[in-house]
Amino acid sequence: MKLPLRILAALATAVALHAAHAADEPQMNLPRVRLSVGLHQIDAQVAQNNDERMVGLMFRRQMPQHEGMLFVFEQPSMQCFWMKNTLLPLSAAFVADDGTIVNLVDMKPQTTDSHCSLKPVRYVLEMNQGWFAKKGIKAGTKLAGQPFEAAR
C-alpha cells in the first residue's frame, strides 16, 4: 500500500509537532522510590537513563514538599547540573553509593549555571529549594532506601 506524498508529509509534520510539544511537558510517570533521612520520608521519581536524566524536573510548575527526583548514574563520576527550562528553585544533594550526602547546592530556576559534586557520585537527589536546610540535613548525612542498600 502506497500513501500519497502529501499524506506522508502531513504525517511527518504531525509527528514532529507532537514530539516538539512533548519535549516541553514535565516527566510525571517515572518509577518512584521511597527514601528516608532520619524521620523524614521522600517520595522520589527515579531518572535512570540518559533521556530521563536530561529532562529531569524541567517544565514542572509545582512539586509537593515531600517529593523529589533521584538521578541514578551507571557509575560514580563528577556530576554537574544546571537549571535550563526548570521553573522551580531546587536544592540538589550529591550522594555517594552508600547514601552519604557529599555536598548540597541551591540552584536558581532557568539558569545555565553549573552546580557540581565535590567528588564522584552515583546519585543526585533534587528537592524543592530549602528542603534540606529546613530539615537540618547537611553534607555527611546519610539517606536510606533501596538504591543505597547494596553499598552498606
Side-chain angles (χ1 to χ4, degrees):
M1 174 179 157
K2 283 189 163 184
L3 291 176
L5 190 54
R6 69 173 179 230
I7 293 175
L8 288 175
L11 285 171
T13 301
V15 168
L17 287 173
H18 176 70
H21 177 69
D24 291 348
E25 296 293 323
Q27 299 184 105
M28 301 301 291
N29 297 313
L30 296 179
R32 292 181 178 267
V33 66
R34 196 87 164 143
L35 305 175
S36 63
V37 55
L39 299 174
H40 308 290
Q41 299 293 310
I42 301 165
D43 180 19
Q45 285 187 289
V46 181
Q48 53 196 347
N49 65 45
N50 246 2
D51 291 338
E52 293 168 351
R53 290 188 298 253
M54 284 177 59
V55 175
L57 290 169
M58 287 180 177
F59 312 111
R60 188 159 311 176
R61 296 191 181 282
Q62 60 187 12
M63 184 169 65
Q65 286 300 307
H66 70 284
E67 289 187 14
M69 184 170 284
L70 182 67
F71 296 80
V72 180
F73 296 88
E74 289 75 23
Q75 59 191 19
S77 60
M78 296 300 288
Q79 299 299 335
C80 293
F81 278 53
W82 47 283
M83 298 281 286
K84 183 176 180 183
N85 298 321
T86 306
L87 308 174
L88 301 172
L90 299 172
S91 295
F94 295 94
V95 184
D97 281 2
D98 68 351
T100 301
I101 296 174
V102 172
N103 62 299
L104 293 158
V105 296
D106 286 339
M107 302 183 296
K108 195 172 164 184
Q110 302 195 61
T111 62
T112 56
D113 300 341
S114 196
H115 305 278
C116 301
S117 59
L118 296 178
K119 69 178 195 178
V121 297
R122 185 184 312 265
Y123 305 100
V124 180
L125 176 62
E126 288 183 342
M127 300 290 290
N128 284 300
Q129 192 169 93
W131 188 89
F132 296 104
K134 287 176 193 164
K135 311 285 189 225
I137 298 166
K138 300 178 172 38
T141 303
K142 279 198 177 187
L143 300 173
Q146 182 272 329
F148 316 116
E149 290 172 3
R152 292 185 186 208

